[in-house]
mmCIF file with all atom_site columns, all heavy atoms in Angstrom:
data_model
loop_
_atom_site.group_PDB
_atom_site.id
_atom_site.type_symbol
_atom_site.label_atom_id
_atom_site.label_alt_id
_atom_site.label_comp_id
_atom_site.label_asym_id
_atom_site.label_entity_id
_atom_site.label_seq_id
_atom_site.pdbx_PDB_ins_code
_atom_site.Cartn_x
_atom_site.Cartn_y
_atom_site.Cartn_z
_atom_site.occupancy
_atom_site.B_iso_or_equiv
_atom_site.pdbx_formal_charge
_atom_site.auth_seq_id
_atom_site.auth_comp_id
_atom_site.auth_asym_id
_atom_site.auth_atom_id
_atom_site.pdbx_PDB_model_num
ATOM 1   N N   . VAL V 1 23 ? 21.933 11.447 224.542 1.00 0.00 ? 281 VAL V N   1
ATOM 2   C CA  . VAL V 1 23 ? 20.484 11.364 224.474 1.00 0.00 ? 281 VAL V CA  1
ATOM 3   C C   . VAL V 1 23 ? 20.168 10.441 223.409 1.00 0.00 ? 281 VAL V C   1
ATOM 4   O O   . VAL V 1 23 ? 20.638 10.414 222.295 1.00 0.00 ? 281 VAL V O   1
ATOM 5   C CB  . VAL V 1 23 ? 20.050 12.778 224.007 1.00 0.00 ? 281 VAL V CB  1
ATOM 6   C CG1 . VAL V 1 23 ? 18.525 12.749 223.918 1.00 0.00 ? 281 VAL V CG1 1
ATOM 7   C CG2 . VAL V 1 23 ? 20.304 13.798 225.170 1.00 0.00 ? 281 VAL V CG2 1
ATOM 8   N N   . ASP V 1 24 ? 19.136 9.631  223.737 1.00 0.00 ? 282 ASP V N   1
ATOM 9   C CA  . ASP V 1 24 ? 18.616 8.489  222.809 1.00 0.00 ? 282 ASP V CA  1
ATOM 10  C C   . ASP V 1 24 ? 17.193 8.973  222.264 1.00 0.00 ? 282 ASP V C   1
ATOM 11  O O   . ASP V 1 24 ? 16.306 9.147  223.011 1.00 0.00 ? 282 ASP V O   1
ATOM 12  C CB  . ASP V 1 24 ? 18.527 7.174  223.401 1.00 0.00 ? 282 ASP V CB  1
ATOM 13  C CG  . ASP V 1 24 ? 18.048 6.158  222.564 1.00 0.00 ? 282 ASP V CG  1
ATOM 14  O OD1 . ASP V 1 24 ? 18.189 6.281  221.354 1.00 0.00 ? 282 ASP V OD1 1
ATOM 15  O OD2 . ASP V 1 24 ? 17.321 5.251  223.051 1.00 0.00 ? 282 ASP V OD2 1
ATOM 16  N N   . PHE V 1 25 ? 17.284 9.317  220.978 1.00 0.00 ? 283 PHE V N   1
ATOM 17  C CA  . PHE V 1 25 ? 15.979 9.709  220.331 1.00 0.00 ? 283 PHE V CA  1
ATOM 18  C C   . PHE V 1 25 ? 15.202 8.485  219.667 1.00 0.00 ? 283 PHE V C   1
ATOM 19  O O   . PHE V 1 25 ? 14.020 8.844  219.295 1.00 0.00 ? 283 PHE V O   1
ATOM 20  C CB  . PHE V 1 25 ? 16.360 10.724 219.088 1.00 0.00 ? 283 PHE V CB  1
ATOM 21  C CG  . PHE V 1 25 ? 16.796 11.988 219.627 1.00 0.00 ? 283 PHE V CG  1
ATOM 22  C CD1 . PHE V 1 25 ? 18.076 12.404 219.516 1.00 0.00 ? 283 PHE V CD1 1
ATOM 23  C CD2 . PHE V 1 25 ? 15.924 12.937 220.145 1.00 0.00 ? 283 PHE V CD2 1
ATOM 24  C CE1 . PHE V 1 25 ? 18.511 13.635 219.928 1.00 0.00 ? 283 PHE V CE1 1
ATOM 25  C CE2 . PHE V 1 25 ? 16.251 14.199 220.538 1.00 0.00 ? 283 PHE V CE2 1
ATOM 26  C CZ  . PHE V 1 25 ? 17.662 14.574 220.380 1.00 0.00 ? 283 PHE V CZ  1
ATOM 27  N N   . GLY V 1 26 ? 15.769 7.397  219.683 1.00 0.00 ? 284 GLY V N   1
ATOM 28  C CA  . GLY V 1 26 ? 15.120 6.352  219.157 1.00 0.00 ? 284 GLY V CA  1
ATOM 29  C C   . GLY V 1 26 ? 15.138 6.385  217.465 1.00 0.00 ? 284 GLY V C   1
ATOM 30  O O   . GLY V 1 26 ? 15.662 7.338  216.993 1.00 0.00 ? 284 GLY V O   1
ATOM 31  N N   . TYR V 1 27 ? 14.245 5.484  216.940 1.00 0.00 ? 285 TYR V N   1
ATOM 32  C CA  . TYR V 1 27 ? 14.294 5.531  215.382 1.00 0.00 ? 285 TYR V CA  1
ATOM 33  C C   . TYR V 1 27 ? 13.126 6.316  214.957 1.00 0.00 ? 285 TYR V C   1
ATOM 34  O O   . TYR V 1 27 ? 12.155 6.559  215.793 1.00 0.00 ? 285 TYR V O   1
ATOM 35  C CB  . TYR V 1 27 ? 14.256 4.120  214.890 1.00 0.00 ? 285 TYR V CB  1
ATOM 36  C CG  . TYR V 1 27 ? 13.090 3.290  215.294 1.00 0.00 ? 285 TYR V CG  1
ATOM 37  C CD1 . TYR V 1 27 ? 12.010 3.269  214.667 1.00 0.00 ? 285 TYR V CD1 1
ATOM 38  C CD2 . TYR V 1 27 ? 13.254 2.343  216.401 1.00 0.00 ? 285 TYR V CD2 1
ATOM 39  C CE1 . TYR V 1 27 ? 10.834 2.522  215.024 1.00 0.00 ? 285 TYR V CE1 1
ATOM 40  C CE2 . TYR V 1 27 ? 12.166 1.622  216.870 1.00 0.00 ? 285 TYR V CE2 1
ATOM 41  C CZ  . TYR V 1 27 ? 11.029 1.694  216.052 1.00 0.00 ? 285 TYR V CZ  1
ATOM 42  O OH  . TYR V 1 27 ? 9.946  0.882  216.562 1.00 0.00 ? 285 TYR V OH  1
ATOM 43  N N   . ARG V 1 28 ? 13.040 6.693  213.725 1.00 0.00 ? 286 ARG V N   1
ATOM 44  C CA  . ARG V 1 28 ? 11.890 7.408  213.095 1.00 0.00 ? 286 ARG V CA  1
ATOM 45  C C   . ARG V 1 28 ? 10.564 6.486  213.118 1.00 0.00 ? 286 ARG V C   1
ATOM 46  O O   . ARG V 1 28 ? 10.696 5.272  212.769 1.00 0.00 ? 286 ARG V O   1
ATOM 47  C CB  . ARG V 1 28 ? 12.130 7.719  211.588 1.00 0.00 ? 286 ARG V CB  1
ATOM 48  C CG  . ARG V 1 28 ? 13.204 8.806  211.443 1.00 0.00 ? 286 ARG V CG  1
ATOM 49  C CD  . ARG V 1 28 ? 13.411 9.095  210.060 1.00 0.00 ? 286 ARG V CD  1
ATOM 50  N NE  . ARG V 1 28 ? 14.634 9.851  209.869 1.00 0.00 ? 286 ARG V NE  1
ATOM 51  C CZ  . ARG V 1 28 ? 14.450 11.227 209.442 1.00 0.00 ? 286 ARG V CZ  1
ATOM 52  N NH1 . ARG V 1 28 ? 13.257 11.681 209.113 1.00 0.00 ? 286 ARG V NH1 1
ATOM 53  N NH2 . ARG V 1 28 ? 15.498 11.949 209.420 1.00 0.00 ? 286 ARG V NH2 1
ATOM 54  N N   . GLY V 1 29 ? 9.628  6.927  213.832 1.00 0.00 ? 287 GLY V N   1
ATOM 55  C CA  . GLY V 1 29 ? 8.261  6.315  213.847 1.00 0.00 ? 287 GLY V CA  1
ATOM 56  C C   . GLY V 1 29 ? 8.058  5.580  215.221 1.00 0.00 ? 287 GLY V C   1
ATOM 57  O O   . GLY V 1 29 ? 7.080  4.931  215.321 1.00 0.00 ? 287 GLY V O   1
ATOM 58  N N   . GLN V 1 30 ? 9.138  5.566  216.004 1.00 0.00 ? 288 GLN V N   1
ATOM 59  C CA  . GLN V 1 30 ? 8.962  4.812  217.301 1.00 0.00 ? 288 GLN V CA  1
ATOM 60  C C   . GLN V 1 30 ? 7.866  5.401  218.114 1.00 0.00 ? 288 GLN V C   1
ATOM 61  O O   . GLN V 1 30 ? 7.101  4.605  218.821 1.00 0.00 ? 288 GLN V O   1
ATOM 62  C CB  . GLN V 1 30 ? 10.286 4.853  218.095 1.00 0.00 ? 288 GLN V CB  1
ATOM 63  C CG  . GLN V 1 30 ? 10.306 3.928  219.290 1.00 0.00 ? 288 GLN V CG  1
ATOM 64  C CD  . GLN V 1 30 ? 11.635 3.931  219.960 1.00 0.00 ? 288 GLN V CD  1
ATOM 65  O OE1 . GLN V 1 30 ? 12.688 4.724  219.656 1.00 0.00 ? 288 GLN V OE1 1
ATOM 66  N NE2 . GLN V 1 30 ? 11.744 3.020  220.920 1.00 0.00 ? 288 GLN V NE2 1
ATOM 67  N N   . GLN V 1 31 ? 7.729  6.694  218.204 1.00 0.00 ? 289 GLN V N   1
ATOM 68  C CA  . GLN V 1 31 ? 6.658  7.308  218.968 1.00 0.00 ? 289 GLN V CA  1
ATOM 69  C C   . GLN V 1 31 ? 5.288  7.118  218.463 1.00 0.00 ? 289 GLN V C   1
ATOM 70  O O   . GLN V 1 31 ? 4.395  7.178  219.049 1.00 0.00 ? 289 GLN V O   1
ATOM 71  C CB  . GLN V 1 31 ? 7.024  8.854  218.987 1.00 0.00 ? 289 GLN V CB  1
ATOM 72  C CG  . GLN V 1 31 ? 8.192  9.337  219.899 1.00 0.00 ? 289 GLN V CG  1
ATOM 73  C CD  . GLN V 1 31 ? 8.304  10.760 219.941 1.00 0.00 ? 289 GLN V CD  1
ATOM 74  O OE1 . GLN V 1 31 ? 7.667  11.475 219.112 1.00 0.00 ? 289 GLN V OE1 1
ATOM 75  N NE2 . GLN V 1 31 ? 8.896  11.273 220.987 1.00 0.00 ? 289 GLN V NE2 1
ATOM 76  N N   . LEU V 1 32 ? 5.251  6.751  217.112 1.00 0.00 ? 290 LEU V N   1
ATOM 77  C CA  . LEU V 1 32 ? 3.985  6.364  216.503 1.00 0.00 ? 290 LEU V CA  1
ATOM 78  C C   . LEU V 1 32 ? 3.601  5.051  216.688 1.00 0.00 ? 290 LEU V C   1
ATOM 79  O O   . LEU V 1 32 ? 2.574  4.507  216.179 1.00 0.00 ? 290 LEU V O   1
ATOM 80  C CB  . LEU V 1 32 ? 3.940  6.840  215.031 1.00 0.00 ? 290 LEU V CB  1
ATOM 81  C CG  . LEU V 1 32 ? 4.404  8.494  214.795 1.00 0.00 ? 290 LEU V CG  1
ATOM 82  C CD1 . LEU V 1 32 ? 4.523  8.641  213.352 1.00 0.00 ? 290 LEU V CD1 1
ATOM 83  C CD2 . LEU V 1 32 ? 3.250  9.311  215.421 1.00 0.00 ? 290 LEU V CD2 1
ATOM 84  N N   . GLY V 1 33 ? 4.433  4.222  217.086 1.00 0.00 ? 291 GLY V N   1
ATOM 85  C CA  . GLY V 1 33 ? 4.332  2.778  217.220 1.00 0.00 ? 291 GLY V CA  1
ATOM 86  C C   . GLY V 1 33 ? 4.565  1.947  215.873 1.00 0.00 ? 291 GLY V C   1
ATOM 87  O O   . GLY V 1 33 ? 3.835  0.947  215.726 1.00 0.00 ? 291 GLY V O   1
ATOM 88  N N   . LEU V 1 34 ? 5.280  2.452  215.104 1.00 0.00 ? 292 LEU V N   1
ATOM 89  C CA  . LEU V 1 34 ? 5.622  1.934  213.771 1.00 0.00 ? 292 LEU V CA  1
ATOM 90  C C   . LEU V 1 34 ? 6.901  1.149  213.839 1.00 0.00 ? 292 LEU V C   1
ATOM 91  O O   . LEU V 1 34 ? 7.818  1.423  214.618 1.00 0.00 ? 292 LEU V O   1
ATOM 92  C CB  . LEU V 1 34 ? 5.777  3.018  212.648 1.00 0.00 ? 292 LEU V CB  1
ATOM 93  C CG  . LEU V 1 34 ? 4.435  3.904  212.412 1.00 0.00 ? 292 LEU V CG  1
ATOM 94  C CD1 . LEU V 1 34 ? 4.729  4.883  211.467 1.00 0.00 ? 292 LEU V CD1 1
ATOM 95  C CD2 . LEU V 1 34 ? 3.264  2.908  211.950 1.00 0.00 ? 292 LEU V CD2 1
ATOM 96  N N   . PRO V 1 35 ? 7.120  0.126  213.024 1.00 0.00 ? 293 PRO V N   1
ATOM 97  C CA  . PRO V 1 35 ? 8.412  -0.601 213.052 1.00 0.00 ? 293 PRO V CA  1
ATOM 98  C C   . PRO V 1 35 ? 9.577  0.080  212.431 1.00 0.00 ? 293 PRO V C   1
ATOM 99  O O   . PRO V 1 35 ? 9.286  1.137  211.793 1.00 0.00 ? 293 PRO V O   1
ATOM 100 C CB  . PRO V 1 35 ? 8.162  -1.894 212.033 1.00 0.00 ? 293 PRO V CB  1
ATOM 101 C CG  . PRO V 1 35 ? 6.948  -1.532 211.280 1.00 0.00 ? 293 PRO V CG  1
ATOM 102 C CD  . PRO V 1 35 ? 6.116  -0.456 212.064 1.00 0.00 ? 293 PRO V CD  1
ATOM 103 N N   . GLU V 1 36 ? 10.769 -0.238 212.911 1.00 0.00 ? 294 GLU V N   1
ATOM 104 C CA  . GLU V 1 36 ? 11.928 0.553  212.359 1.00 0.00 ? 294 GLU V CA  1
ATOM 105 C C   . GLU V 1 36 ? 12.267 0.298  210.870 1.00 0.00 ? 294 GLU V C   1
ATOM 106 O O   . GLU V 1 36 ? 12.577 1.221  210.215 1.00 0.00 ? 294 GLU V O   1
ATOM 107 C CB  . GLU V 1 36 ? 13.100 0.119  213.318 1.00 0.00 ? 294 GLU V CB  1
ATOM 108 C CG  . GLU V 1 36 ? 14.357 0.816  212.873 1.00 0.00 ? 294 GLU V CG  1
ATOM 109 C CD  . GLU V 1 36 ? 15.479 0.494  213.779 1.00 0.00 ? 294 GLU V CD  1
ATOM 110 O OE1 . GLU V 1 36 ? 15.309 -0.291 214.777 1.00 0.00 ? 294 GLU V OE1 1
ATOM 111 O OE2 . GLU V 1 36 ? 16.557 1.163  213.730 1.00 0.00 ? 294 GLU V OE2 1
ATOM 112 N N   . GLU V 1 37 ? 11.949 -0.932 210.458 1.00 0.00 ? 295 GLU V N   1
ATOM 113 C CA  . GLU V 1 37 ? 12.336 -1.185 209.044 1.00 0.00 ? 295 GLU V CA  1
ATOM 114 C C   . GLU V 1 37 ? 11.208 -2.118 208.548 1.00 0.00 ? 295 GLU V C   1
ATOM 115 O O   . GLU V 1 37 ? 10.461 -2.662 209.262 1.00 0.00 ? 295 GLU V O   1
ATOM 116 C CB  . GLU V 1 37 ? 13.671 -1.965 208.946 1.00 0.00 ? 295 GLU V CB  1
ATOM 117 C CG  . GLU V 1 37 ? 14.848 -1.011 209.311 1.00 0.00 ? 295 GLU V CG  1
ATOM 118 C CD  . GLU V 1 37 ? 16.037 -1.804 209.160 1.00 0.00 ? 295 GLU V CD  1
ATOM 119 O OE1 . GLU V 1 37 ? 16.085 -3.111 208.770 1.00 0.00 ? 295 GLU V OE1 1
ATOM 120 O OE2 . GLU V 1 37 ? 17.134 -1.294 209.604 1.00 0.00 ? 295 GLU V OE2 1
ATOM 121 N N   . GLY V 1 38 ? 11.123 -2.243 207.189 1.00 0.00 ? 296 GLY V N   1
ATOM 122 C CA  . GLY V 1 38 ? 10.117 -3.103 206.583 1.00 0.00 ? 296 GLY V CA  1
ATOM 123 C C   . GLY V 1 38 ? 8.916  -2.538 206.256 1.00 0.00 ? 296 GLY V C   1
ATOM 124 O O   . GLY V 1 38 ? 8.624  -1.258 206.482 1.00 0.00 ? 296 GLY V O   1
ATOM 125 N N   . PRO V 1 39 ? 7.876  -3.329 205.919 1.00 0.00 ? 297 PRO V N   1
ATOM 126 C CA  . PRO V 1 39 ? 6.545  -2.789 205.690 1.00 0.00 ? 297 PRO V CA  1
ATOM 127 C C   . PRO V 1 39 ? 5.905  -2.208 206.995 1.00 0.00 ? 297 PRO V C   1
ATOM 128 O O   . PRO V 1 39 ? 6.141  -2.664 208.090 1.00 0.00 ? 297 PRO V O   1
ATOM 129 C CB  . PRO V 1 39 ? 5.771  -4.042 205.339 1.00 0.00 ? 297 PRO V CB  1
ATOM 130 C CG  . PRO V 1 39 ? 6.724  -4.991 204.827 1.00 0.00 ? 297 PRO V CG  1
ATOM 131 C CD  . PRO V 1 39 ? 8.054  -4.739 205.614 1.00 0.00 ? 297 PRO V CD  1
ATOM 132 N N   . GLY V 1 40 ? 5.325  -0.927 206.834 1.00 0.00 ? 298 GLY V N   1
ATOM 133 C CA  . GLY V 1 40 ? 4.673  -0.317 207.798 1.00 0.00 ? 298 GLY V CA  1
ATOM 134 C C   . GLY V 1 40 ? 5.630  0.649  208.477 1.00 0.00 ? 298 GLY V C   1
ATOM 135 O O   . GLY V 1 40 ? 5.208  1.487  209.370 1.00 0.00 ? 298 GLY V O   1
ATOM 136 N N   . SER V 1 41 ? 6.903  0.679  208.081 1.00 0.00 ? 299 SER V N   1
ATOM 137 C CA  . SER V 1 41 ? 7.812  1.675  208.622 1.00 0.00 ? 299 SER V CA  1
ATOM 138 C C   . SER V 1 41 ? 7.780  3.064  207.903 1.00 0.00 ? 299 SER V C   1
ATOM 139 O O   . SER V 1 41 ? 7.162  3.108  206.853 1.00 0.00 ? 299 SER V O   1
ATOM 140 C CB  . SER V 1 41 ? 9.274  1.273  208.555 1.00 0.00 ? 299 SER V CB  1
ATOM 141 O OG  . SER V 1 41 ? 9.681  1.115  207.163 1.00 0.00 ? 299 SER V OG  1
ATOM 142 N N   . ILE V 1 42 ? 8.236  4.098  208.462 1.00 0.00 ? 300 ILE V N   1
ATOM 143 C CA  . ILE V 1 42 ? 8.094  5.464  207.979 1.00 0.00 ? 300 ILE V CA  1
ATOM 144 C C   . ILE V 1 42 ? 8.814  5.429  206.639 1.00 0.00 ? 300 ILE V C   1
ATOM 145 O O   . ILE V 1 42 ? 9.975  4.943  206.400 1.00 0.00 ? 300 ILE V O   1
ATOM 146 C CB  . ILE V 1 42 ? 8.701  6.518  208.964 1.00 0.00 ? 300 ILE V CB  1
ATOM 147 C CG1 . ILE V 1 42 ? 7.918  6.586  210.151 1.00 0.00 ? 300 ILE V CG1 1
ATOM 148 C CG2 . ILE V 1 42 ? 8.877  7.747  208.205 1.00 0.00 ? 300 ILE V CG2 1
ATOM 149 C CD1 . ILE V 1 42 ? 6.881  7.676  210.242 1.00 0.00 ? 300 ILE V CD1 1
ATOM 150 N N   . ALA V 1 43 ? 8.253  6.153  205.654 1.00 0.00 ? 301 ALA V N   1
ATOM 151 C CA  . ALA V 1 43 ? 8.952  6.172  204.307 1.00 0.00 ? 301 ALA V CA  1
ATOM 152 C C   . ALA V 1 43 ? 10.075 7.212  204.272 1.00 0.00 ? 301 ALA V C   1
ATOM 153 O O   . ALA V 1 43 ? 9.988  8.128  205.049 1.00 0.00 ? 301 ALA V O   1
ATOM 154 C CB  . ALA V 1 43 ? 7.795  6.780  203.275 1.00 0.00 ? 301 ALA V CB  1
ATOM 155 N N   . ARG V 1 44 ? 11.152 6.770  203.662 1.00 0.00 ? 302 ARG V N   1
ATOM 156 C CA  . ARG V 1 44 ? 12.323 7.670  203.751 1.00 0.00 ? 302 ARG V CA  1
ATOM 157 C C   . ARG V 1 44 ? 12.083 8.770  202.616 1.00 0.00 ? 302 ARG V C   1
ATOM 158 O O   . ARG V 1 44 ? 11.381 8.786  201.735 1.00 0.00 ? 302 ARG V O   1
ATOM 159 C CB  . ARG V 1 44 ? 13.496 6.785  203.278 1.00 0.00 ? 302 ARG V CB  1
ATOM 160 C CG  . ARG V 1 44 ? 13.857 5.714  204.206 1.00 0.00 ? 302 ARG V CG  1
ATOM 161 C CD  . ARG V 1 44 ? 14.424 6.262  205.472 1.00 0.00 ? 302 ARG V CD  1
ATOM 162 N NE  . ARG V 1 44 ? 14.666 5.191  206.517 1.00 0.00 ? 302 ARG V NE  1
ATOM 163 C CZ  . ARG V 1 44 ? 14.543 5.309  207.633 1.00 0.00 ? 302 ARG V CZ  1
ATOM 164 N NH1 . ARG V 1 44 ? 14.063 6.338  208.267 1.00 0.00 ? 302 ARG V NH1 1
ATOM 165 N NH2 . ARG V 1 44 ? 14.780 4.238  208.509 1.00 0.00 ? 302 ARG V NH2 1
#
Side-chain angles (χ1 to χ4, degrees):
V281 177
D282 181 26
F283 288 104
Y285 61 87
R286 292 178 186 248
Q288 185 174 12
Q289 290 182 339
L290 303 173
L292 300 174
E294 185 173 3
E295 295 179 4
S299 65
I300 295 264
R302 298 288 181 219

